[in-house]
Amino acid sequence: MNAEIIAVGSELLLGQIANTNAQFLSQQLAMLGINVYFHTVVGDNAGRLEQAVKTAQTRANLIIFTGGLGPTKDDLTKETIARLLGRRLVIDEEALRAIEVYFARTNRPMTENNKKQALVLEGSTVLKNEHGMAPGMALVADGITYMLLPGPPKEMRPMFKKYGNAFLRRTFSLSERIESRVLRFFGIGESALETAIADLIDAQSNPTIAPLAGDGEVTLRLTAKHQDEAEAKRLLDEVESAILARVGRHCYGYNDETLFTKTLERLKERGWTIASAESLTGGLFLEQLTALPGASQVVQGGVVCYTNGVKEQVLGIPRPLLEAEGAVSEPCARLLAENVRAMCDADIGISFTGVAGPDPLEGHPPGTVYIGIAVRGRDATVHRLMLSGTRDAIRIRTAKYGCFFLLEMLAADC
Amino acid sequence: MNAEIIAVGSELLLGQIANTNAQFLSQQLAMLGINVYFHTVVGDNAGRLEQAVKTAQTRANLIIFTGGLGPTKDDLTKETIARLLGRRLVIDEEALRAIEVYFARTNRPMTENNKKQALVLEGSTVLKNEHGMAPGMALVADGITYMLLPGPPKEMRPMFKKYGNAFLRRTFSLSERIESRVLRFFGIGESALETAIADLIDAQSNPTIAPLAGDGEVTLRLTAKHQDEAEAKRLLDEVESAILARVGRHCYGYNDETLFTKTLERLKERGWTIASAESLTGGLFLEQLTALPGASQVVQGGVVCYTNGVKEQVLGIPRPLLEAEGAVSEPCARLLAENVRAMCDADIGISFTGVAGPDPLEGHPPGTVYIGIAVRGRDATVHRLMLSGTRDAIRIRTAKYGCFFLLEMLAADC
């Protein structure tokens, strides 16, 4: 079977928003094993929408629409399809009640046009909208499956995941389970990772292995298909083990985990607190950690020591050291980590000093970075990095390397 | 005239990327006064691409393609159009030289298939690629204008802006100048702003006034059309003055400016340095400032005082004050600003203390925020805010309010 996704909305044709709905649905359909051959975007215009539907009918047996289900006269997706298929629109009582409840709860008067949102194609399966008012619907007519979804992503996505997906599984008798798992890597480049597991990638069929690089990280998406869910998971476990046996050192987490969530989690488990001294990162490391709920159990605080004056006066780095070794140096990174740890009375002190660019500093090119890690009662360690990229890329990768080295230390320590 | 944008690439149909090229081009065409009636996405498949082109030929007189101009055998946009239009593909010598130079410079061997990138449709206007290898091209055939652009946005966007745009102006004799200007507002909600200038919005025709809200800010895009560029600018000036007469206090900048770039710029002009004490923002304020090149002239550094221990030990807030008034209080904000200023020997100290949420703190609900500003030799001032939204939204809006109050103070000070 093959699908076409038709997004309806003039705001897309004006470039006010990107068609992220088509992207989301394409991913979802790929996971179901359904090929998508076309995306179409058309405005809020009955004639052109009709034309787009007729074109799709000649080339797809699944047509998914997003948008045009709202209360205004510009919303005409279901009206157009009703006309084309010769179906009536009928009130869905459950949807109507939900709309009435919504207005009652928000203390707003319900205008007559809102009833229009409860109209559905006669004989269709209604897809409940748990995050908005307009229900979706799906039906099969003359061998073609039509699914109508609302335009706002926060309504469309959960509706598709919960109801649309199940409808397609039933309609197309998709009995295979698709299980997918993302492995997240850091500190290894995409090509080095691919080289290390080249034979596994070449031999892949089920599960498939799809690498993706971005923001200094590489991910591998493993996707297995099987009638039996447990067996699909076992297939994933197997290929994951084979991969981790080679590059496990660089794998820090799964799926939606980030280096920062992982670091916070590990520190919390350990019951350790942290403080940072940030020069080139300018607060980025702590900002990322404190963006996470629960940071207060772990983060004590820190010092952004952008100038040598602050390094000296606030963090007690002796001027002779700054003059002899420079701020971008191993001894400076070490002392920054030790002193900020002591000052903030934390279990771990971490420091970031280096050159974010665009200009060199103290004769060092952009990308020269020292990260110091001091643990209460132990000698501090310092890691030296040579990073490439823009100022932004160097800063974020530096902060991520901080997490990576912390995780490595915490793992070795267990 | 009306346009269709055809994006070619299986990665779009797999949902790996969103079709941001269509969004960008739609915006650009809207600015030229060209209607866009359809977007189509099709995979790297000659048959289906041909079908998409034929459909577009029946309904558009401008067809813009993105993608499929690269060196691999999957790249077949120009080959398909050549076949459909009965045109030959010929080597463009300038493009070929640019490709050879590129490989020589990066010390990589140039494989034969890269020559394919220098092929262009015979008789077309070649659009130079200044950020990659594959040139674009444009031509008119049987009353339809075809434009082929590369897929990577960082190549496509500058190519369209510099060369594609000019080709369309010539071809469609678009003599009207479209001038547009974005006014950026902070500290005022979208509906309050719209209410304040409702009559101007109602009366708009040329320039048009388009409000947009996001990230706690509101922007107004003013767009004027006129044969004469100077006159278009005068029209913009006129409506801008009318708007600023009412809500000018909240307008902090134009176009791509941000509160952070503006703050850095104003402090630099003034020759003032800054230090921050950040509790709920966790380093976000300084992180945003230090993300900008040239921050080192202005930013001294600061302290992330996430815990009361750090507020007390590092920033010298007396424990009795913390116990009596709390960390989330006017006196604490004041002293944090004063002390961090003195400690870092900066001209300005700014402090952020409050509740980011999700949980209340010291009996204050999330969104309770105090921002202290201390200037060398003056009494410190403290602003109290009650913000709403998620933890992330409260943190970023707090940092932005810091900029807003600084800009207000610097403006009043001139």
Side-chain angles (χ1 to χ4, degrees), chain A residues 218-254:
Chain A
V218 191
T219 61
L220 292 177
R221 176 181 288 274
L222 315 180
T223 307
K225 295 185 189 186
H226 204 278
Q227 305 280 112
D228 178 44
E229 193 177 331
E231 180 59 17
K233 286 198 172 132
R234 204 194 53 75
L235 288 169
L236 290 181
D237 289 342
E238 208 173 87
V239 74
E240 179 185 328
S241 299
I243 292 168
L244 295 189
R246 304 190 192 174
V247 285
R249 195 202 139 199
H250 293 281
C251 180
Y252 73 81
Y254 295 97

Side-chain angles (χ1 to χ4, degrees), chain A residues 12-20 22-23 26-27 30 36-43 48 51-52 55 58-59 280-284 286-288 290-296 299-307 310 313-314 342-345 358 391-392 395, chain B residues 12-20 22-23 26-27 30 36-43 48 51-52 55 58-59 280-284 286-288 290-296 299-307 310 313-314 342-345 358 391-392 395:
Chain A
L12 289 156
L13 296 179
L14 289 167
Q16 288 166 354
I17 54 172
N19 190 6
T20 54
Q23 182 184 15
S26 294
Q27 289 167 352
V36 178
Y37 283 166
F38 293 95
H39 295 171
T40 298
V41 177
V42 58
R48 286 192 287 275
Q51 188 184 332
T55 301
T58 67
R59 61 191 187 187
L280 85 157
T281 47
L284 178 58
L286 274 200
E287 188 276 307
Q288 291 283 320
T290 57
L292 307 171
S296 58
V299 175
Q300 294 286 102
V303 175
V304 178
C305 47
Y306 214 59
T307 59
V310 173
Q313 289 152 43
V314 181
M343 247 175 98
C344 295
D345 191 23
R391 181 179 172 89
D392 280 348
R395 284 160 47 95
Chain B
L12 289 156
L13 295 180
L14 289 167
Q16 288 166 354
I17 54 172
N19 190 6
T20 55
Q23 182 184 15
S26 293
Q27 289 167 352
V36 178
Y37 283 166
F38 293 96
H39 296 171
T40 297
V41 177
V42 59
R48 287 192 287 274
Q51 188 184 332
T55 301
T58 67
R59 60 191 187 186
L280 84 156
T281 47
L284 178 59
L286 274 200
E287 189 276 308
Q288 291 283 320
T290 57
L292 307 171
S296 58
V299 175
Q300 294 287 101
V303 175
V304 177
C305 47
Y306 214 59
T307 58
V310 173
Q313 289 152 43
V314 181
M343 247 175 98
C344 296
D345 191 23
R391 181 178 172 89
D392 280 347
R395 284 160 46 95

Side-chain angles (χ1 to χ4, degrees), chain A residues 284-356:
Chain A
L284 178 58
F285 175 79
L286 274 200
E287 188 276 307
Q288 291 283 320
L289 277 189
T290 57
L292 307 171
S296 58
Q297 287 171 254
V298 166
V299 175
Q300 294 286 102
V303 175
V304 178
C305 47
Y306 214 59
T307 59
N308 281 0
V310 173
K311 290 185 185 74
E312 188 187 336
Q313 289 152 43
V314 181
L315 281 161
I317 308 298
R319 188 174 302 185
L321 188 155
L322 290 169
E323 280 167 2
E325 309 277 352
V328 182
S329 69
E330 191 271 347
C332 182
R334 179 183 306 274
L335 204 53
L336 284 171
E338 287 171 350
N339 290 4
V340 82
R341 191 205 67 70
M343 247 175 98
C344 295
D345 191 23
D347 297 303
I348 298 184
I350 185 166
S351 70
F352 304 89
T353 179
V355 192

Side-chain angles (χ1 to χ4, degrees), chain B residues 31 177-181 222-225 229 232-233 236:
Chain B
M31 302 263 287
R177 301 296 306 186
I178 312 250
E179 290 291 327
S180 136
R181 182 182 301 169
L222 315 180
T223 308
K225 294 185 188 185
E229 193 178 331
K233 287 198 172 132
L236 290 181

